Each structure stands twice: as C-alpha cells, then as structure tokens.
Amino acid sequence: TRDKMPPVKGDILVHAVESKEGQPIRMADLSEKLVRAWPMGKDEDGNSIIRKGDPNNILAVYRFPKGQIQAPTNLEATVEGEIVVYSDVCTHAGCSVADDDQRAGAMKCPCHSGQYDPKQGCKVIGGPPPRPLAQLPVRLDGENLVVGDFFLQNPYPFNEAEWEARK
Ligand code: FES
C-alpha cells in the first residue's frame, strides 16, 4: 500500500513527532537540531497519505548556516546549501539516529553509539556503522519542502537487493 512506499519525487515532508504529525515542515521549523520527518504523498483517491507504514521512511532534516555543509554532501540535492535531508535509519542495525547531545551539529545512534556528521554527507565519525546515512534530495516548492528524487545511497541497512532494484 502507498503508506509503505518509499519517498516519491514530489512528496511533501511533514513532521513525524507525534504532537505535530502530518504538519508540513516550514523553513522556520528547521535548525541545527534534528527534525524528524515522513514523506507525505497521495493515495489512489488523491487523498494525502503519510508514508509511515515502513519505518525505513523516517527522515532527518537539518538546516545549517550557509557554507557549513560540505562535501561529500551532494549540495545540488540540498536547499541552497542550507537544508539537508538524510535517512534516519542507522546503517548499522536500523535504529533511529538522534542528535549527539555532547557534540552540536553531530548525530549519534542510541543503540551502539554510531556517530555521523550531517554537514559532511553524514559520513561515519565514530562507532560501528559501515556507511553514511543516505541523503535524500530535496527542494523548496512554495513553502513546502519536497522530495526531489530517490535516495542517493542505499538507505536499507539489511537489504542491498531492495536498493539495487530501486535505484
Ligand atoms: Fe546504530 Fe548500531 S544501530 S550504531
């Protein structure tokens, strides 16, 4: 069903946190603190549907001051080099990655302390993850943050075949 589909080009990013679930994410909501998001698309009847049926669809959204986001982040896939979106599924064993409380602007996985740098393509900067968090291309459409394309890297920790089939 469509709530289980991975992010589709044109999907709107909406808040995932329970108190705001389904509300479109606005520029003003974003900062160097992680904002969790779901992609929201349309069902068969044209009604909005949050794609939260697959936990692999959970996303991490950040906004950094201009100039801070660097390679290997794909800057073309950010909004003006300021807003960047990644899969929030740890590439080690699939836990949802959070902000690193000890280190501003870095991410830390609560399961086995994997660390990632969201300003540098979410490269691994500590712990066991085998590869970066996958970057999701986004763009601004009016006030909405929308999916520009599919993930640039494999977002599925356990499923190379699914990635091979989708990319
Ligand atoms: Fe994230 Fe193990 S699941 S470090």
Side-chain angles (χ1 to χ4, degrees):
T1 54
R2 295 199 185 188
D3 71 319
K4 288 195 170 66
M5 277 171 71
V8 175
K9 199 171 172 173
D11 279 357
I12 294 173
L13 299 196
V14 298
H15 284 279
V17 65
E18 214 171 315
S19 59
K20 294 190 199 173
E21 191 180 274
Q23 291 178 22
I25 289 176
R26 299 292 180 225
M27 292 287 270
D29 300 334
L30 298 171
S31 70
E32 299 177 33
K33 284 203 163 304
L34 180 150
V35 169
R36 286 211 177 89
W38 294 116
M40 185 173 79
K42 298 281 183 202
D43 68 11
E44 293 79 355
D45 303 319
N47 300 313
S48 293
I49 184 161
I50 302 175
R51 300 197 204 282
K52 61 177 187 174
D54 182 349
N56 282 314
N57 288 346
I58 191 78
L59 300 167
V61 188
Y62 284 98
R63 182 180 185 182
F64 294 110
K66 236 186 189 22
Q68 291 195 5
I69 299 182
Q70 299 168 0
T73 316
N74 183 325
L75 286 172
E76 300 274 295
T78 67
V79 174
E80 315 232 330
E82 291 181 32
I83 296 173
V84 62
V85 180
Y86 296 100
S87 161
D88 196 39
V89 180
C90 186
T91 60
H92 178 231
C95 293
S96 199
V97 188
D99 277 322
D100 185 343
D101 292 335
Q102 313 293 318
R103 203 165 164 182
M107 298 175 80
K108 188 167 180 177
C109 180
C111 290
H112 316 96
S113 299
Q115 289 159 274
Y116 300 92
D117 184 347
K119 292 184 217 170
Q120 294 187 65
C122 256
K123 70 175 186 185
V124 179
I125 52 173
R131 55 176 193 269
L133 295 179
Q135 187 183 348
L136 183 74
V138 284
R139 61 187 172 80
L140 212 52
D141 182 5
E143 284 192 283
N144 290 325
L145 202 51
V146 305
V147 175
D149 212 334
F150 196 56
F151 290 103
L152 299 177
Q153 300 87 21
N154 181 8
Y156 306 109
F158 308 113
N159 201 339
E160 200 68 34
E162 186 163 1
W163 165 243
E164 290 299 327
R166 289 193 196 276
K167 74 180 177 188

